[in-house]
Amino acid sequence: MTNADHAGGILTIDLDAIAGNYRLLNGKCAASGAKCAAVIKADAYGLGAAVVGPALESAGCRVFFVALTGEGVSLRGVLPKAEIHVLAGPLAGNEDTFEEYGLVPTLNSLGDVDTWAAFCRRQDHRLPANLQIDTGMSRLGLPPGELDVLADDPSRLDGLAVANMISHLACADEPGHSLNRRQLESFTRARTRIAAGAKASLANSSGIFLGPEYHFDLARPGAALYGVGPVPGIPNPMAQVVHLQGRILQVRDVDSPQTVGYGAIHRFAQPTRIATVAVGYADGYLRSFSDSGCVYVGDIRAPVVGRVSMDLITVDVSGAPESGTRPGTLVDVIGPHNPIDTIAKEGGTIGYEILTSLGHRYHRVYSSSQAGRA
Ligand SMILES: *Cc1c(COP(=O)(O)O)cnc(C)c1O
């Protein structure tokens, strides 16, 4: 979709806000002597890694994390000089790809350690890899039993270079959760047992806000860069990055006993003005917003009435002026009055899912004060 007039919605991504968010997080890390990386997996949380990556690099970021090898390969094309880390390990057979594109794998098991160490020995070259320890999330990383084996036989690491010892927090967005401290302790203990002297990385976005003892050498924020609030319950310190506008296609007046949309779940009790907006679940406007979400016409709230369809929603614009609701007009689907975290809550999900669900039918605009990028 290149022509804004042909699209049902306009998605504006504020690169200056992403840069400002990076600088805020980097400042917090720098205060405790840590570096700040950027996690740009899942196409930079849906916002476009090919544009967001270079914007973050311009803001001073030198270290990037992605989830998958393929993401690292694509990213190398736009970030020729950056340090690119892949959170997945090498699968036997794809080690060459890491070396060819200069990607740092994350070793998540003894099997990964052996695969990478053997590869390094074949190349006769110490290649960097992160070593991930499972400190309580039970998702990726060496489980405690494998950590014991490695501590007893550190020679298994011979030939490779441990770039960072890493682990991931399960409950960083709940500052009072006891698992945070237990993970911190278990991570600190693991560091004394293996790869002593290697750099360490534990904190995601929310982890940075748990305090300096969680920063270690390198923090790995993702969501906060894109405007998601890192600490639920306090005012969001991050700048909003996403502005999503949906286009009104048609307006009609309805009244009892009419209904609207699939399943006829919404009945009208009084005369109501309905606008049909060209955004639907195919665009990532979740079906769970049916009869519960809202858009804004300027400052006026317009609740979603009836079910979200694939390409369309219907909203109650009875309270909005006619001038703001003519066909062709844009309404705020994500904007100053309904930021990501607010609508995520309304849809029973989290900002991460709202971002990564943003569809590809929107006309995308990258706004920046820097010349050549708008
Ligand atoms: C996704 C991810 C991050 C970033 O997490 P945010 O909560 O988005 O800041 C950091 N580390 C690992 C291992 C991850 O999977």
Side-chain angles (χ1 to χ4, degrees):
M1 289 282 168
T2 49
N3 189 331
D5 296 338
H6 296 173
I10 298 178
L11 176 62
T12 306
I13 296 158
D14 185 343
L15 296 176
D16 292 338
I18 295 178
N21 287 340
Y22 176 75
R23 284 191 288 264
L24 188 152
L25 297 172
N26 187 48
K28 281 185 85 73
C29 295
S32 57
K35 280 196 196 175
C36 188
V39 179
I40 58 173
K41 61 192 179 187
D43 202 23
Y45 291 48
L47 303 185
V51 184
V52 169
L56 283 162
E57 192 177 51
S58 299
C61 184
R62 298 288 173 264
V63 184
F64 295 85
F65 282 84
V66 291
L68 303 169
T69 315
E71 294 182 312
V73 169
S74 309
L75 195 59
R76 181 53 80 203
V78 294
L79 294 176
K81 295 204 189 99
E83 223 180 88
I84 301 178
H85 298 255
V86 178
L87 291 164
L91 305 169
N94 78 353
E95 301 97 311
D96 289 335
T97 309
F98 286 91
E99 197 190 12
E100 185 181 344
Y101 291 90
L103 309 174
V104 181
T106 300
L107 311 177
N108 288 309
S109 66
L110 274 180
D112 283 355
V113 169
D114 292 344
T115 299
W116 193 249
F119 180 65
C120 290
R121 283 192 290 268
R122 284 201 301 278
Q123 309 293 305
D124 202 14
H125 196 49
R126 283 163 71 85
L127 292 164
N130 300 310
L131 186 62
Q132 178 153 226
I133 306 300
D134 174 23
T135 54
M137 187 150 177
S138 312
R139 189 181 68 170
L140 281 178
L142 272 74
E146 295 197 357
L147 182 68
D148 291 343
V149 173
L150 194 57
D152 288 344
D153 181 10
S155 71
R156 289 172 86 145
L157 293 170
D158 285 356
L160 66 83
V162 177
N164 296 287
M165 177 106 137
I166 79 172
S167 192
H168 192 46
L169 296 165
C171 304
D173 60 342
E174 294 176 60
H177 202 293
S178 62
L179 188 52
N180 291 323
R181 188 134 298 271
R182 275 185 280 138
Q183 287 195 264
L184 178 66
E185 282 163 8
S186 133
F187 186 59
T188 304
R189 212 175 319 115
R191 288 188 69 207
T192 64
R193 298 181 64 205
I194 52 169
K199 293 205 182 305
S201 174
L202 178 63
N204 63 339
S205 299
S206 300
I208 294 174
F209 291 80
L210 289 176
E213 70 270 38
Y214 287 83
H215 294 179
F216 293 92
D217 298 296
L218 181 70
R220 308 184 308 266
L225 294 169
Y226 315 114
V228 173
V231 190
I234 70 155
N236 186 355
M238 313 316 297
Q240 285 306 297
V241 168
V242 167
H243 184 197
L244 175 60
Q245 297 162 287
R247 191 181 302 285
I248 294 179
L249 297 182
Q250 202 177 6
V251 182
R252 76 189 63 239
D253 292 305
V254 295
D255 197 354
S256 167
Q258 283 175 284
T259 63
V260 59
Y262 286 120
I265 60 163
H266 188 96
R267 293 172 179 284
F268 298 103
Q270 61 200 43
T272 306
R273 172 155 283 206
I274 295 294
T276 303
V277 178
V279 165
Y281 60 75
D283 303 298
Y285 196 80
L286 308 178
R287 198 163 171 274
S288 57
F289 290 129
S290 296
D291 242 358
S292 76
C294 72
V295 305
Y296 275 80
V297 180
D299 294 331
I300 294 161
R301 186 175 188 274
V304 173
V305 290
R307 282 202 183 133
V308 173
S309 334
M310 188 183 291
D311 316 305
L312 300 165
I313 51 174
T314 37
V315 298
D316 179 345
V317 293
S318 306
E322 218 178 306
S323 61
T325 53
R326 296 204 182 100
T329 311
L330 296 168
V331 298
D332 282 344
V333 178
I334 302 174
H337 294 296
N338 46 354
I340 292 167
D341 293 325
T342 305
I343 70 163
K345 209 171 218 176
E346 281 168 1
T349 181
I350 53 175
Y352 297 65
E353 194 179 25
I354 300 292
L355 287 176
T356 55
S357 302
L358 291 168
H360 291 277
R361 286 198 294 190
Y362 299 129
H363 175 69
R364 288 187 175 218
V365 178
Y366 288 95
S367 73
S368 168
S369 54
Q370 250 177 284
R373 190 169 278 133

